[in-house]
Amino acid sequence: MKKKIRAALLTAAGLAALGPIFVAHRYFHEERMVDDCLSGRHGSFDYSTMTCDLNENHLYVPYSVRHPNDGSIFLIGSAACALFLSGYAFVKTVGKNV
């Protein structure tokens, strides 16, 4: 029974970690796109179409405005992952002591 609980907690921790991983991937991917446009191609990044424009200047739109829920997703997913991993560790140590 404890093996099933530990497996379920590890699975839940892995699923909870997907949210922060997705948010971090999107953040760094967009950061690379913008950096390539501004530094590499000397253009202006159009955040509405997520493309580099070499002809026209565009306003800067902060990441938090473009993706307002990413901070919450990252924090909740990280906290849930830590909670499930601590539950896994607790079940594993309790099983050894009994």
Side-chain angles (χ1 to χ4, degrees):
M1 180 70 176
K2 287 186 181 185
K3 286 184 180 182
K4 288 182 181 181
I5 293 173
R6 287 195 321 240
L9 287 169
L10 276 179
T11 302
L15 291 174
L18 290 177
I21 290 170
F22 172 74
V23 169
H25 177 267
R26 178 168 50 187
Y27 176 81
F28 288 115
H29 176 69
E30 287 185 15
E31 194 69 26
R32 278 193 313 268
M33 287 173 39
V34 172
D35 186 49
D36 179 54
C37 177
L38 299 178
S39 298
R41 297 166 61 186
H42 304 291
S44 176
F45 197 78
D46 185 2
Y47 291 97
S48 62
T49 60
M50 298 303 286
T51 58
C52 186
D53 191 349
L54 301 175
N55 300 321
E56 190 177 326
N57 282 335
H58 297 278
L59 292 175
Y60 170 70
V61 180
Y63 185 85
S64 60
V65 171
R66 290 178 283 148
H67 306 289
N69 297 323
D70 277 5
S72 299
I73 292 170
F74 190 86
L75 288 175
I76 292 170
S78 298
C81 184
L83 181 68
F84 291 132
L85 286 176
S86 65
Y88 170 80
F90 177 75
V91 169
K92 190 172 183 176
T93 56
V94 168
K96 286 182 180 179
N97 294 336
V98 174

